Short mmCIF file of all heavy atoms in Angstrom, two decimals:
data_model
loop_
_atom_site.label_atom_id
_atom_site.label_comp_id
_atom_site.label_asym_id
_atom_site.label_seq_id
_atom_site.Cartn_x
_atom_site.Cartn_y
_atom_site.Cartn_z
N GLN A 855 74.93 112.11 160.14
CA GLN A 855 73.91 113.03 160.58
C GLN A 855 74.49 114.19 161.35
O GLN A 855 74.10 115.36 161.17
CB GLN A 855 72.88 112.27 161.43
CG GLN A 855 71.70 113.14 161.89
CD GLN A 855 70.90 113.69 160.72
OE1 GLN A 855 70.51 112.94 159.83
NE2 GLN A 855 70.66 114.99 160.72
N GLN A 856 75.48 113.88 162.18
CA GLN A 856 76.12 114.99 162.94
C GLN A 856 76.85 115.94 162.00
O GLN A 856 76.87 117.16 162.25
CB GLN A 856 77.12 114.38 163.97
CG GLN A 856 76.41 113.72 165.16
CD GLN A 856 77.40 113.12 166.13
OE1 GLN A 856 78.55 112.82 165.77
NE2 GLN A 856 76.98 112.94 167.36
N LEU A 857 77.41 115.39 160.94
CA LEU A 857 78.05 116.25 159.96
C LEU A 857 77.02 117.15 159.28
O LEU A 857 77.29 118.35 159.06
CB LEU A 857 78.79 115.40 158.91
CG LEU A 857 79.52 116.16 157.82
CD1 LEU A 857 80.58 117.11 158.40
CD2 LEU A 857 80.13 115.19 156.79
N GLN A 858 75.85 116.60 158.97
CA GLN A 858 74.81 117.43 158.43
C GLN A 858 74.31 118.49 159.41
O GLN A 858 73.94 119.58 159.01
CB GLN A 858 73.65 116.54 157.95
CG GLN A 858 73.95 115.66 156.76
CD GLN A 858 72.76 114.82 156.34
OE1 GLN A 858 71.67 114.95 156.88
NE2 GLN A 858 72.97 113.94 155.36
N ASP A 859 74.30 118.09 160.70
CA ASP A 859 73.77 119.01 161.71
C ASP A 859 74.70 120.17 162.01
O ASP A 859 74.33 121.07 162.77
CB ASP A 859 73.51 118.23 163.02
CG ASP A 859 72.33 117.27 162.87
OD1 ASP A 859 71.52 117.49 161.99
OD2 ASP A 859 72.25 116.33 163.69
N THR A 860 75.90 120.16 161.43
CA THR A 860 76.73 121.34 161.58
C THR A 860 76.19 122.52 160.81
O THR A 860 76.58 123.65 161.07
CB THR A 860 78.17 121.05 161.11
OG1 THR A 860 78.12 120.67 159.73
CG2 THR A 860 78.79 119.92 161.94
N VAL A 861 75.26 122.28 159.93
CA VAL A 861 74.64 123.31 159.10
C VAL A 861 73.24 123.60 159.67
O VAL A 861 72.45 122.69 159.92
CB VAL A 861 74.52 122.89 157.63
CG1 VAL A 861 73.77 123.97 156.85
CG2 VAL A 861 75.90 122.65 157.06
N VAL A 862 72.93 124.89 159.93
CA VAL A 862 71.60 125.33 160.39
C VAL A 862 70.82 125.80 159.22
O VAL A 862 71.24 126.75 158.50
CB VAL A 862 71.73 126.40 161.49
CG1 VAL A 862 70.36 126.85 161.96
CG2 VAL A 862 72.59 125.90 162.65
N ILE A 863 69.63 125.23 158.99
CA ILE A 863 68.80 125.52 157.83
C ILE A 863 67.49 126.13 158.27
O ILE A 863 66.89 125.72 159.28
CB ILE A 863 68.58 124.22 157.01
CG1 ILE A 863 69.91 123.70 156.46
CG2 ILE A 863 67.63 124.48 155.83
CD1 ILE A 863 69.81 122.39 155.76
N ALA A 864 67.00 127.12 157.50
CA ALA A 864 65.73 127.72 157.80
C ALA A 864 64.55 126.74 157.60
O ALA A 864 64.46 126.16 156.51
CB ALA A 864 65.51 128.97 156.92
N PRO A 865 63.68 126.56 158.60
CA PRO A 865 62.62 125.60 158.46
C PRO A 865 61.41 126.13 157.71
O PRO A 865 60.54 125.38 157.29
CB PRO A 865 62.23 125.26 159.93
CG PRO A 865 62.59 126.49 160.68
CD PRO A 865 63.77 127.11 159.97
N PHE A 866 61.31 127.46 157.54
CA PHE A 866 60.23 128.05 156.82
C PHE A 866 60.63 129.45 156.30
O PHE A 866 61.65 129.97 156.74
CB PHE A 866 58.96 128.17 157.69
CG PHE A 866 59.17 128.81 159.02
CD1 PHE A 866 59.27 130.18 159.13
CD2 PHE A 866 59.31 128.07 160.16
CE1 PHE A 866 59.48 130.80 160.40
CE2 PHE A 866 59.51 128.64 161.43
CZ PHE A 866 59.61 130.00 161.51
N ASP A 867 59.85 129.98 155.37
CA ASP A 867 60.08 131.34 154.91
C ASP A 867 59.81 132.33 156.02
O ASP A 867 58.78 132.24 156.71
CB ASP A 867 59.16 131.68 153.73
CG ASP A 867 59.42 130.79 152.53
OD1 ASP A 867 60.45 130.10 152.53
OD2 ASP A 867 58.56 130.75 151.62
N GLY A 868 60.71 133.25 156.27
CA GLY A 868 60.52 134.19 157.31
C GLY A 868 61.53 135.30 157.34
O GLY A 868 62.30 135.50 156.37
N VAL A 869 61.56 136.03 158.46
CA VAL A 869 62.49 137.17 158.64
C VAL A 869 63.16 136.98 159.99
O VAL A 869 62.53 136.55 160.97
CB VAL A 869 61.73 138.50 158.62
CG1 VAL A 869 62.68 139.69 158.85
CG2 VAL A 869 61.00 138.68 157.25
N VAL A 870 64.45 137.30 160.04
CA VAL A 870 65.22 137.18 161.28
C VAL A 870 64.82 138.28 162.25
O VAL A 870 64.94 139.46 161.96
CB VAL A 870 66.75 137.26 160.99
CG1 VAL A 870 67.55 137.20 162.29
CG2 VAL A 870 67.15 136.07 160.10
N GLN A 871 64.32 137.86 163.39
CA GLN A 871 63.93 138.81 164.41
C GLN A 871 65.08 139.18 165.34
O GLN A 871 65.18 140.31 165.84
CB GLN A 871 62.80 138.23 165.28
CG GLN A 871 62.29 139.14 166.40
CD GLN A 871 61.24 138.48 167.22
OE1 GLN A 871 60.92 137.30 167.04
NE2 GLN A 871 60.65 139.25 168.12
N GLU A 872 66.00 138.23 165.54
CA GLU A 872 67.13 138.47 166.44
C GLU A 872 68.30 137.57 166.10
O GLU A 872 68.10 136.37 165.83
CB GLU A 872 66.71 138.22 167.91
CG GLU A 872 67.75 138.52 168.93
CD GLU A 872 67.32 138.25 170.35
OE1 GLU A 872 66.22 137.68 170.51
OE2 GLU A 872 68.03 138.60 171.29
N ARG A 873 69.48 138.13 166.08
CA ARG A 873 70.72 137.35 165.89
C ARG A 873 71.38 137.18 167.25
O ARG A 873 71.63 138.19 167.95
CB ARG A 873 71.64 138.05 164.91
CG ARG A 873 73.03 137.39 164.81
CD ARG A 873 73.86 138.05 163.75
NE ARG A 873 75.27 137.66 163.86
CZ ARG A 873 76.19 137.97 162.96
NH1 ARG A 873 75.84 138.65 161.86
NH2 ARG A 873 77.44 137.62 163.16
N ARG A 874 71.74 135.95 167.64
CA ARG A 874 72.17 135.69 169.01
C ARG A 874 73.52 135.03 169.09
O ARG A 874 73.91 134.55 170.16
CB ARG A 874 71.12 134.85 169.70
CG ARG A 874 69.75 135.45 169.65
CD ARG A 874 68.67 134.60 170.28
NE ARG A 874 68.87 134.38 171.69
CZ ARG A 874 68.04 133.71 172.50
NH1 ARG A 874 66.94 133.19 171.96
NH2 ARG A 874 68.28 133.55 173.76
N ALA A 875 74.28 134.96 168.02
CA ALA A 875 75.64 134.35 168.02
C ALA A 875 76.48 135.04 167.00
O ALA A 875 75.99 135.69 166.03
CB ALA A 875 75.54 132.87 167.77
N SER A 876 77.83 134.89 167.16
CA SER A 876 78.76 135.53 166.26
C SER A 876 79.80 134.48 165.80
O SER A 876 80.04 133.49 166.46
CB SER A 876 79.48 136.70 166.93
OG SER A 876 78.55 137.68 167.34
N ILE A 877 80.42 134.79 164.67
CA ILE A 877 81.46 133.89 164.11
C ILE A 877 82.60 133.81 165.12
O ILE A 877 83.05 134.77 165.71
CB ILE A 877 81.95 134.44 162.78
CG1 ILE A 877 80.81 134.38 161.74
CG2 ILE A 877 83.13 133.66 162.26
CD1 ILE A 877 81.18 134.95 160.40
N GLY A 878 83.10 132.55 165.27
CA GLY A 878 84.22 132.30 166.17
C GLY A 878 83.80 131.89 167.55
O GLY A 878 84.63 131.43 168.36
N GLU A 879 82.52 132.04 167.90
CA GLU A 879 82.04 131.69 169.20
C GLU A 879 81.83 130.18 169.31
O GLU A 879 81.28 129.57 168.39
CB GLU A 879 80.71 132.43 169.45
CG GLU A 879 80.13 132.24 170.81
CD GLU A 879 78.88 133.07 171.01
OE1 GLU A 879 78.52 133.83 170.09
OE2 GLU A 879 78.22 132.92 172.05
N TYR A 880 82.30 129.59 170.43
CA TYR A 880 82.12 128.14 170.63
C TYR A 880 80.74 127.94 171.21
O TYR A 880 80.37 128.52 172.25
CB TYR A 880 83.18 127.55 171.53
CG TYR A 880 83.07 126.06 171.64
CD1 TYR A 880 83.71 125.23 170.71
CD2 TYR A 880 82.33 125.44 172.62
CE1 TYR A 880 83.62 123.84 170.75
CE2 TYR A 880 82.22 124.06 172.70
CZ TYR A 880 82.87 123.25 171.77
OH TYR A 880 82.77 121.89 171.83
N LEU A 881 79.95 127.07 170.57
CA LEU A 881 78.57 126.87 170.98
C LEU A 881 78.36 125.45 171.45
O LEU A 881 78.84 124.50 170.82
CB LEU A 881 77.64 127.14 169.81
CG LEU A 881 77.71 128.53 169.15
CD1 LEU A 881 76.80 128.61 167.95
CD2 LEU A 881 77.37 129.62 170.16
N ALA A 882 77.66 125.29 172.55
CA ALA A 882 77.27 123.96 173.03
C ALA A 882 76.05 123.51 172.24
O ALA A 882 75.36 124.30 171.57
CB ALA A 882 76.98 124.01 174.53
N ALA A 883 75.78 122.22 172.32
CA ALA A 883 74.60 121.71 171.65
C ALA A 883 73.34 122.37 172.20
O ALA A 883 73.14 122.48 173.41
CB ALA A 883 74.50 120.19 171.83
N GLY A 884 72.50 122.89 171.31
CA GLY A 884 71.30 123.55 171.74
C GLY A 884 71.42 125.04 171.90
O GLY A 884 70.44 125.73 172.21
N SER A 885 72.60 125.60 171.66
CA SER A 885 72.80 127.05 171.80
C SER A 885 72.04 127.77 170.69
O SER A 885 72.14 127.42 169.50
CB SER A 885 74.30 127.40 171.73
OG SER A 885 74.98 126.81 172.79
N PRO A 886 71.28 128.85 171.03
CA PRO A 886 70.50 129.56 170.00
C PRO A 886 71.40 130.39 169.13
O PRO A 886 72.43 130.94 169.56
CB PRO A 886 69.55 130.44 170.81
CG PRO A 886 70.28 130.66 172.11
CD PRO A 886 71.04 129.38 172.39
N ILE A 887 71.02 130.50 167.85
CA ILE A 887 71.76 131.33 166.87
C ILE A 887 70.93 132.50 166.41
O ILE A 887 71.33 133.66 166.50
CB ILE A 887 72.20 130.47 165.68
CG1 ILE A 887 73.19 129.39 166.12
CG2 ILE A 887 72.83 131.34 164.61
CD1 ILE A 887 73.68 128.52 165.03
N VAL A 888 69.72 132.24 165.94
CA VAL A 888 68.82 133.31 165.47
C VAL A 888 67.39 132.96 165.86
O VAL A 888 67.05 131.80 166.09
CB VAL A 888 68.91 133.56 163.93
CG1 VAL A 888 70.29 134.01 163.51
CG2 VAL A 888 68.51 132.30 163.19
N THR A 889 66.55 133.99 165.91
CA THR A 889 65.11 133.84 166.10
C THR A 889 64.43 134.21 164.77
O THR A 889 64.65 135.33 164.26
CB THR A 889 64.56 134.71 167.23
OG1 THR A 889 65.21 134.34 168.45
CG2 THR A 889 63.06 134.52 167.39
N LEU A 890 63.63 133.30 164.25
CA LEU A 890 63.02 133.47 162.92
C LEU A 890 61.51 133.55 163.09
O LEU A 890 60.92 132.76 163.84
CB LEU A 890 63.40 132.32 162.02
CG LEU A 890 63.01 132.39 160.54
CD1 LEU A 890 63.72 133.53 159.86
CD2 LEU A 890 63.34 131.06 159.84
N VAL A 891 60.86 134.47 162.37
CA VAL A 891 59.42 134.59 162.43
C VAL A 891 58.82 134.53 161.00
O VAL A 891 59.44 135.02 160.07
CB VAL A 891 58.99 135.94 163.10
CG1 VAL A 891 59.35 135.94 164.56
CG2 VAL A 891 59.59 137.14 162.39
N ARG A 892 57.67 133.87 160.91
CA ARG A 892 56.96 133.85 159.62
C ARG A 892 56.05 135.07 159.58
O ARG A 892 55.23 135.32 160.48
CB ARG A 892 56.12 132.57 159.55
CG ARG A 892 55.52 132.33 158.16
CD ARG A 892 54.41 131.30 158.21
NE ARG A 892 54.84 130.00 158.61
CZ ARG A 892 55.29 129.08 157.79
NH1 ARG A 892 55.29 129.32 156.49
NH2 ARG A 892 55.67 127.90 158.24
N MET A 893 56.14 135.83 158.48
CA MET A 893 55.42 137.10 158.36
C MET A 893 54.14 137.03 157.58
O MET A 893 53.37 138.00 157.60
CB MET A 893 56.37 138.12 157.72
CG MET A 893 57.62 138.43 158.52
SD MET A 893 57.24 139.24 160.08
CE MET A 893 56.68 140.81 159.47
N ASN A 894 53.89 135.99 156.87
CA ASN A 894 52.64 135.93 156.09
C ASN A 894 52.17 134.46 156.00
O ASN A 894 52.94 133.58 155.55
CB ASN A 894 52.88 136.45 154.66
CG ASN A 894 51.63 136.56 153.84
OD1 ASN A 894 50.57 136.89 154.38
ND2 ASN A 894 51.70 136.28 152.58
N PRO A 895 50.92 134.22 156.44
CA PRO A 895 50.01 135.19 157.07
C PRO A 895 50.39 135.46 158.52
O PRO A 895 51.29 134.82 159.06
CB PRO A 895 48.65 134.45 156.97
CG PRO A 895 49.03 133.02 157.08
CD PRO A 895 50.33 132.86 156.36
N LEU A 896 49.67 136.42 159.11
CA LEU A 896 49.86 136.73 160.53
C LEU A 896 48.68 136.20 161.32
O LEU A 896 47.57 136.07 160.83
CB LEU A 896 49.97 138.22 160.74
CG LEU A 896 51.22 138.91 160.16
CD1 LEU A 896 51.18 140.41 160.46
CD2 LEU A 896 52.49 138.30 160.70
N ARG A 897 48.94 135.90 162.60
CA ARG A 897 47.88 135.48 163.51
C ARG A 897 47.29 136.77 164.16
O ARG A 897 48.03 137.60 164.67
CB ARG A 897 48.41 134.60 164.61
CG ARG A 897 48.84 133.20 164.15
CD ARG A 897 49.38 132.44 165.36
NE ARG A 897 49.92 131.18 164.97
CZ ARG A 897 49.25 130.01 165.01
NH1 ARG A 897 48.01 130.00 165.42
NH2 ARG A 897 49.83 128.89 164.65
N LEU A 898 45.99 136.87 164.09
CA LEU A 898 45.27 137.95 164.79
C LEU A 898 44.63 137.35 166.04
O LEU A 898 43.76 136.44 165.90
CB LEU A 898 44.24 138.61 163.90
CG LEU A 898 43.27 139.56 164.61
CD1 LEU A 898 44.02 140.78 165.11
CD2 LEU A 898 42.11 139.93 163.71
N ARG A 899 45.04 137.77 167.22
CA ARG A 899 44.44 137.31 168.45
C ARG A 899 43.58 138.41 169.03
O ARG A 899 44.04 139.56 169.21
CB ARG A 899 45.51 136.88 169.45
CG ARG A 899 46.28 135.64 169.04
CD ARG A 899 47.11 135.10 170.19
NE ARG A 899 47.82 133.87 169.83
CZ ARG A 899 49.09 133.82 169.49
NH1 ARG A 899 49.78 134.93 169.46
NH2 ARG A 899 49.64 132.68 169.17
N ALA A 900 42.32 138.12 169.31
CA ALA A 900 41.40 139.10 169.87
C ALA A 900 40.57 138.44 170.97
O ALA A 900 40.42 137.21 171.02
CB ALA A 900 40.51 139.69 168.78
N GLU A 901 39.99 139.25 171.85
CA GLU A 901 39.17 138.80 172.91
C GLU A 901 37.77 139.33 172.73
O GLU A 901 37.55 140.54 172.57
CB GLU A 901 39.71 139.24 174.27
CG GLU A 901 41.04 138.57 174.61
CD GLU A 901 41.55 138.96 175.97
OE1 GLU A 901 40.97 139.91 176.58
OE2 GLU A 901 42.48 138.30 176.48
N VAL A 902 36.78 138.42 172.74
CA VAL A 902 35.36 138.76 172.53
C VAL A 902 34.65 138.65 173.87
O VAL A 902 34.80 137.63 174.57
CB VAL A 902 34.73 137.81 171.50
CG1 VAL A 902 33.24 138.09 171.34
CG2 VAL A 902 35.44 137.96 170.16
#
């Protein structure tokens, strides 16, 4: 499982909002790599 966890896989269709790591950087467990957002559909939040 740890060998599989060396690979980071996209959990849903989306677009990268931010890249937060670079090749060659040593990362601790839990270190962020990218921020991914789902673009369709979108949530509309309004106040009535």
Side-chain angles (χ1 to χ4, degrees):
Q855 182 62 50
Q856 288 179 337
L857 180 59
Q858 292 181 4
D859 291 339
T860 59
V861 177
V862 180
I863 296 175
F866 51 79
D867 297 346
V869 178
V870 175
Q871 180 182 5
E872 184 181 7
R873 172 176 166 171
R874 305 177 64 176
S876 299
I877 294 177
E879 184 177 355
Y880 186 87
L881 304 175
S885 298
I887 295 180
V888 297
T889 300
L890 187 65
V891 293
R892 189 196 296 270
M893 297 294 292
N894 187 36
L896 293 181
R897 291 180 186 264
L898 169 67
R899 291 192 179 100
E901 294 184 348
V902 176

